[in-house]
Amino acid sequence: MKKYGKVIMVAIFAIVLAGIFVFLYLKSRPEEIRYEKVRPEIRTIEKTAVVTGKIVPRDEINIKPQISGIITELFKEAGEMVKAGEVIAKVKVIPEMSSLSAAQSRVRLAEINLKQAETDMEREQALYDRQLVSREEYDKVKQTRDQAREEYNAAVDALEVVRDGVSKSNASSSSTLIRSTISGLVLDVPVKVGNSVIQSNTFNDGTTIAVVADMNDLIFDGKIDETEVGRIEEGMGMEITVGALQDLTFDAVLEYIAPKATENNGTNEFQIKAAVKVPSDTRMRSGYSANARIVLQHSDSVLTVPESTLEFSGDSVFVYVAGSDSTYMRRPVVTGLSDGISIEIKEGVSENDVLRGNRIYDSK
């Protein structure tokens, strides 16, 4: 039994040793290198730039009050349409005590002057009827009476404006009624009933009652890197894609390129604006994030190959062309426009050539 056991052990050892030799032999054999075969194609090459930005109205107007006071009524909400001259809100005036006192004093003084002028007019009228005074003297007294009456009316109007924000004589154009200056969509109403508002002055921009914009006139507002701004010019076409409307693209025309750069995270960027053509049946919202695709260079129907087939050596560019014996020959080429994936070949290969592409790795 011991003799048979030794024979079995020797046999197992011999098999293992033979397997090791076979494995090492296979590993030592040179691996066959295979490549994809690529044919040049006739296609259009475009070099593009993508600019990030947003869609905004060309004209976005902040509606502000002409007087200071408290909001008593709001007639519009965000998302509603408004016409130029339409009332958005109503303001109740809180008069300043010094201004109110001055206006009241002016009314009292004007009233005294008017009573005196009317008394003088009555006396002058009696004398004139008896032909005791000339027409010229009569006209002067009458003019004084008319001026006193006008001053009284103006003082009353001023008092009403100070006290109520509106007078009877100008009720139709009351500054307590906040009206829209343009027709469009109400984008925002940042105040509520009961809020205090102030008019704009030298020291304050004033309270915004509402933000109104014409949503039929939209622009793309973005920034482009300084390395690409030199290749664009006003009037160039753009293709706009909006993040919230992924299935739609919109045409646009570049209208504005900023003459001065702004720094952003260490890079210089230039602001650009483009008029966006939005179909009437598409609802666009102000502030949508968007990307603009700008074609910087364009070549139609040119011979192209994938950039991965190129080999760069100094200032020279080469490709490997398949020969009749399944070998590849290195050949210099002249390249043209590239879109980052494919590149134009001006000289060196033809449409019938077969080029060496990427290496094929066996999956194990």
Side-chain angles (χ1 to χ4, degrees):
M1 291 293 294
K2 291 182 179 180
K3 182 177 180 182
Y4 290 119
K6 290 181 179 179
V7 172
I8 293 172
M9 292 294 293
V10 171
I12 293 173
F13 178 75
I15 293 172
V16 171
L17 187 61
I20 292 173
F21 279 114
V22 171
F23 174 77
L24 292 176
Y25 171 74
L26 294 176
K27 291 289 290 181
S28 65
R29 294 180 61 187
E31 182 181 358
E32 180 184 1
I33 301 176
R34 295 181 297 161
Y35 294 94
E36 295 178 345
K37 293 183 178 181
V38 178
R39 288 187 176 275
E41 295 181 357
I42 301 295
R43 58 191 298 269
T44 297
I45 291 285
E46 292 181 339
K47 183 174 181 61
T48 62
V50 177
V51 183
T52 59
K54 57 184 179 180
I55 303 297
V56 296
R58 184 184 301 276
D59 296 315
E60 188 173 296
I61 307 300
N62 293 331
I63 309 299
K64 298 178 183 292
Q66 297 177 350
I67 59 173
S68 300
I70 295 176
I71 299 292
T72 57
E73 291 183 78
L74 288 171
F75 302 103
K76 293 293 181 180
E77 295 181 352
E80 295 183 349
M81 298 299 297
V82 65
K83 296 181 179 179
E86 191 173 354
V87 178
I88 295 177
K90 185 177 181 180
V91 174
K92 178 183 178 181
V93 175
I94 305 299
E96 184 180 359
M97 295 309 298
S98 60
S99 300
L100 181 60
S101 297
Q104 290 172 338
S105 177
R106 179 185 172 188
V107 170
R108 289 193 295 267
L109 181 59
E111 185 177 9
I112 293 171
N113 292 335
L114 177 59
K115 287 182 180 180
Q116 182 61 49
E118 287 177 342
T119 300
D120 293 343
M121 183 63 196
E122 289 176 0
R123 293 173 183 168
E124 194 71 15
Q125 183 71 48
L127 294 173
Y128 180 73
D129 290 342
R130 290 185 290 174
Q131 298 182 353
L132 297 176
V133 295
S134 65
R135 180 72 183 185
E136 182 180 0
E137 292 178 355
Y138 172 79
D139 289 340
K140 287 182 179 180
V141 175
K142 183 180 178 182
Q143 182 181 9
T144 301
R145 191 276 312 269
D146 292 342
Q147 289 176 345
R149 183 178 293 170
E150 184 64 29
E151 172 60 25
Y152 175 76
N153 292 333
V156 172
D157 282 349
L159 174 60
E160 291 175 346
V161 169
V162 171
R163 185 185 60 210
D164 306 322
V166 59
S167 67
K168 295 177 181 178
S169 61
N170 63 0
S172 60
S173 59
S174 170
S175 56
T176 61
L177 300 177
I178 313 303
R179 302 175 185 273
S180 178
T181 55
I182 64 170
S183 298
L185 181 71
V186 179
L187 299 182
D188 187 23
V189 180
V191 296
K192 298 180 180 179
V193 172
N195 284 164
S196 297
V197 296
I198 58 175
Q199 66 184 103
S200 60
N201 52 50
T202 306
F203 307 101
N204 196 296
D205 291 336
T207 306
T208 298
I209 301 293
V211 181
V212 181
D214 181 5
M215 295 302 291
N216 294 320
D217 188 7
L218 301 175
I219 63 172
F220 170 82
D221 187 352
K223 292 185 177 180
I224 189 170
D225 191 85
E226 63 179 339
T227 58
E228 297 175 330
V229 71
R231 302 178 183 178
I232 63 175
E233 59 185 14
E234 295 175 0
M236 293 181 67
M238 305 169 63
E239 186 179 84
I240 306 295
T241 57
V242 178
L245 306 172
Q246 297 182 359
D247 297 332
L248 301 176
T249 59
F250 307 93
D251 294 328
V253 179
L254 185 60
E255 291 185 341
Y256 170 79
I257 305 172
K260 182 180 179 180
T262 56
E263 186 174 346
N264 183 22
N265 295 327
T267 61
N268 289 331
E269 296 179 332
F270 290 81
Q271 183 185 28
I272 63 172
K273 296 180 181 180
V276 183
K277 301 175 183 177
V278 181
S280 58
D281 59 346
T282 301
R283 184 178 183 183
M284 190 74 73
R285 299 180 185 272
S286 176
Y288 269 159
S289 298
N291 291 327
R293 179 177 174 270
I294 309 174
V295 178
L296 303 176
Q297 292 177 277
H298 181 89
S299 294
D300 282 323
S301 301
V302 294
L303 189 67
T304 66
V305 299
E307 282 202 14
S308 59
T309 62
L310 303 182
E311 179 184 274
F312 297 90
S313 179
D315 295 333
S316 301
V317 183
F318 300 89
V319 294
Y320 287 86
V321 182
S324 57
D325 54 353
S326 298
T327 60
Y328 292 97
M329 297 177 292
R330 193 171 186 240
R331 184 184 299 176
V333 293
V334 177
T335 59
L337 187 63
S338 170
D339 62 5
I341 299 176
S342 299
I343 189 169
E344 176 187 1
I345 300 297
K346 294 183 176 181
E347 296 179 9
V349 296
S350 67
E351 192 175 357
N352 297 323
D353 287 328
V354 178
L355 308 183
R356 188 183 75 181
N358 294 323
R359 181 176 175 179
I360 300 175
Y361 293 91
D362 293 329
S363 58
K364 295 182 180 180

